[in-house]
Amino acid sequence: MSDQDDAPQQADRPDEPKEQAPPPGSDKPAPDATDTPPPEANPFDQAGRNPLGASGGTGGAGTAHAARRTFARQYDFHGDGQVYEGNTFISQFGIDTGPPVVRGAVPQDTLERLTEVYCETSGYQRMKHLLRTNGLLVLCGEPGSGRTATALALLSELSGDKVTRLDPSTVVHEIDPDAGCGHLLELPPDDDSPSDHDRRHRGDLRDTPARRPSRLTELHLDGLSDRLRAKGAYGIVLVQSGDLADRLSQGRYAVYCAPPPQAEVLHRHLRVLLRGEPDGALAGARALAVREDVTRALGLDELRPREAARLAEQLARHQRGELTDEQLLESCGTFVRAQARAWFAGADRPGTLPEARTAIGAAAFRIAVAVFNRSAYSLTAEAAEQLAWELAVTLDPERPVGRRLFGSHAEDRPVVARSVLEDGEIDLGAARVPVRTIRFQGEALATAVLREVWHGYHNARGPLSRWLRSLCDDPRPEVWVRASIAAGVLCSWDWIYGFGELVRPMAAVDNPVPRMAAATALAEAARDPKVQPAVVALLKEWAKSDDGALVETAVLAHGYALPAGSVRASVDALGAVVRGGGAREPDVLGTASFSVMRLLATDEPHTVTARMDDWLRDGRRELVDLVLLSVIGTLTMRTTHLWGLTEVSGLEPHGSRPLLVALLATRPHLAPELAVMVRRALSTARSGAPALDGLGSLLRRAAKDAEALRLVCGFLPLLAEGPRDRDRLRGLLKDLVRDRDRPLDKTAAGRMWDAVAEGAQR
């Protein structure tokens, strides 16, 4: 794989042809008088090649890692998708729960209930000290994280339960505090949008609702602090995580409000809700909260206080016999969908640029995390910027949109998508390198985000599709694999739209990377049993097409085994393509051999070797060539390059080794069949030279790997069946040892020589 080009891929790149690296060189085989004359273009000149060349796409370094780290599909969704908030004090004061009032006192019964259930967050005492000293405190955090409850608790404690809530549109520097009272103001999430003054300076002031005259700064907060202290009052301003929170956190008023522990919040709410219930009800509810099926239905690592309060209500109802187990799981399934819906409801507010830039950027970042969950943060952030551009030009095609260079810090940005940064590794085939990864705090969030955007907002489909197609043109496997799998999931949800906007445009491109991405998307879509028949019919049609790109895409798709429904059906489909004329195109024959190798790397390699044996017995040249090319590929192709969309037990430890060695380690009973095919490749004139080169490469690698050397030495006697076989192998070993540039280790060569001699004694 080549990681030279880290530049973002533009949307108009898929149709541009990319230069492919030349295939590995090999000597042409000697003429074979018994065979028919070879075609003008010899397919064995590219034996064992990667269909995407050196670009690193299919089977490129890191591809197996990317395929395994896709967003979760194992979570089922319960219920009808209705979104609601529990009847608790936390949800009563959310910014999305009804029309705001200009100014209103918080009811006493609400404050009393708060006293019963509130769980102190980390840093509560420091917050109280700052509020008492300055009269003002800015709490930063995400909605539902307990900011409001913490603010109410602080203000209630210091003001003697006299708390007033202010309209979110209230201008900070115009607040006239009431003497001795606590004041709570929650700023809207787009408060840091450009002011009228900024927009007028750029000449883009439009008719918009009245806005704050300027961005909130430390000066405004100083003035409010003075007014509050002058009247013996207190004030707390709630700010959502983002650019404004980042700026204010550098001053003396802002503090991050971390969510309190889920278990403690849940316990306090259950204690109140189950008051008067029989003994054991509280313990039973807490045990139910951590039951595997309940946590799986929730799909979230850690519940926020608002969610914990909702769950407590549902658990209490279950304990009282008001909910069955099934109804409880259905209710739990709404939590993650509620989060996704809250993220994207009005995510382009107020519908004009540049005011909507912040909201669009947050929406794009959440979608990017859904596609790149558990992948590199750098790739995720870059992809998010590209998607934000697509969304912005769709919203306002005439307004150019740039990128902020120093916006939210990388340490702070993940909280916008309920995600975290972690240290991880990326598999590069021959090595693993450290990388900073990002992941959702809940595996079900990735699917929920894509489902919400795809099904809930039709106008977002266009920019989302263009973005995924551009990512599928990126040669880096960590990029195009993720994008193609996401495209496949979207196709399974709406085949008609997804195929036309995602798969068909990529399959027709004269570029191997998008074609492989299209094949991957088709295989992923075929997971859905309702879509799989459509994929099968499509691949049959493409296999007979006069368009070589479509034929090659169909061949690549069969390498996953998912479209045809089984490994056996996939192998038969590849044989049918070759028999139907695919062998006349060396590129298609080489691609078919690559797909055969990928099927060998599944859980059913014996099915593939049995069919390959049948093809050799059949004798038709195109089928024999397919077997020979596939066998040569197993000698050189690293196992990690032959990834699929399903896990294969036992192969991962052998990812850096050639497929043949991995099969010898995990499927030793296949050794005799594999030896027959390798001997056939070595003894056939048209494939002999590349096969010998491939075997030499395998022996060199084995000499540096003790486990591989043991396996190869056990395999060599099977290759040394006759005198000619032994002479060929001994000659190869002599050449490798005498190589002046890269001489083979003599100790390893001695063990291999003895293994060849062992073949003569059998």
Side-chain angles (χ1 to χ4, degrees), residues 699-709 742 744-745 748 752:
L699 297 181
R700 287 186 183 280
R701 292 186 187 179
K704 303 174 184 178
D705 182 342
E707 176 63 15
L709 180 59
R742 293 189 304 156
L744 185 67
D745 179 76
M752 296 176 189

Side-chain angles (χ1 to χ4, degrees), residues 14 21 34 63 69 75 96 144 183 192 212 281 322 340 361 413 491 509 519 522 532 593 641 657 684 742 749:
T34 63
T63 313
R69 294 293 190 176
Y75 290 97
D96 56 348
H183 301 76
D192 199 34
R212 291 175 174 77
E322 299 173 11
R413 195 176 186 189
C491 285
V509 172
L522 287 172
Q532 195 250 356
S593 70
H641 295 177
R657 293 168 177 152
T684 301
R742 293 189 304 156

Side-chain angles (χ1 to χ4, degrees), residues 249-260:
S249 65
Q250 306 302 315
R252 61 194 181 106
Y253 298 104
V255 177
Y256 174 68
C257 184

Side-chain angles (χ1 to χ4, degrees), residues 136 172 175 177 219-229 237:
L136 178 65
V172 170
I175 294 176
L219 290 176
H220 299 120
L221 298 177
D222 286 339
L224 178 57
S225 174
D226 291 340
R227 294 194 299 276
L228 288 166
R229 285 185 293 170
V237 179

Side-chain angles (χ1 to χ4, degrees), residues 172-372:
V172 170
H173 64 271
E174 294 180 357
I175 294 176
D176 184 15
D178 297 328
C181 290
H183 301 76
L184 177 60
L185 171 64
E186 181 170 2
L187 297 183
D190 57 348
D191 186 69
D192 199 34
S193 298
S195 66
D196 288 351
H197 177 273
D198 298 328
R199 292 158 56 236
R200 185 179 291 109
H201 179 73
R202 293 195 301 265
D204 60 357
L205 183 60
R206 301 181 180 180
D207 294 331
T208 59
R211 299 183 52 82
R212 291 175 174 77
S214 61
R215 290 181 171 89
L216 182 63
T217 66
E218 195 83 358
L219 290 176
H220 299 120
L221 298 177
D222 286 339
L224 178 57
S225 174
D226 291 340
R227 294 194 299 276
L228 288 166
R229 285 185 293 170
K231 293 189 176 183
Y234 301 95
I236 293 182
V237 179
L238 303 182
V239 178
Q240 186 167 324
S241 298
D243 293 347
L244 178 59
D246 293 345
R247 285 195 293 105
L248 295 180
S249 65
Q250 306 302 315
R252 61 194 181 106
Y253 298 104
V255 177
Y256 174 68
C257 184
Q262 169 190 328
E264 184 62 24
V265 175
L266 188 66
H267 173 74
R268 288 173 179 261
H269 279 273
L270 286 172
R271 186 179 58 188
V272 173
L273 292 169
L274 294 176
R275 185 179 296 156
E277 295 297 323
D279 293 342
L282 178 59
R286 296 189 66 178
L288 184 60
V290 296
R291 204 171 70 185
E292 183 180 358
D293 57 345
V294 173
T295 57
R296 184 167 56 250
L298 288 169
L300 298 167
D301 292 349
E302 186 81 8
L303 297 183
R304 290 175 173 173
R306 178 180 299 179
E307 295 161 340
R310 282 184 57 197
L311 179 60
E313 182 179 352
Q314 303 307 308
L315 293 173
R317 293 183 62 195
H318 182 275
Q319 288 298 309
R320 291 192 293 264
E322 299 173 11
L323 291 180
T324 64
D325 278 4
E326 182 180 356
Q327 290 171 328
L328 175 64
L329 295 178
E330 289 178 354
S331 176
C332 291
T334 66
F335 281 56
V336 70
R337 294 204 304 275
Q339 175 66 91
R341 182 162 295 188
W343 276 342
F344 294 102
D348 59 352
R349 60 183 180 271
T352 58
L353 292 175
E355 292 83 2
R357 181 186 62 187
T358 301
I360 286 178
F365 185 70
R366 289 159 181 158
I367 296 172
V369 176
V371 173
F372 290 88

Side-chain angles (χ1 to χ4, degrees), residues 407-421:
S408 296
H409 193 276
E411 296 289 346
D412 302 321
R413 195 176 186 189
V415 72
V416 176
R418 199 166 180 169
S419 54
V420 292
L421 296 178

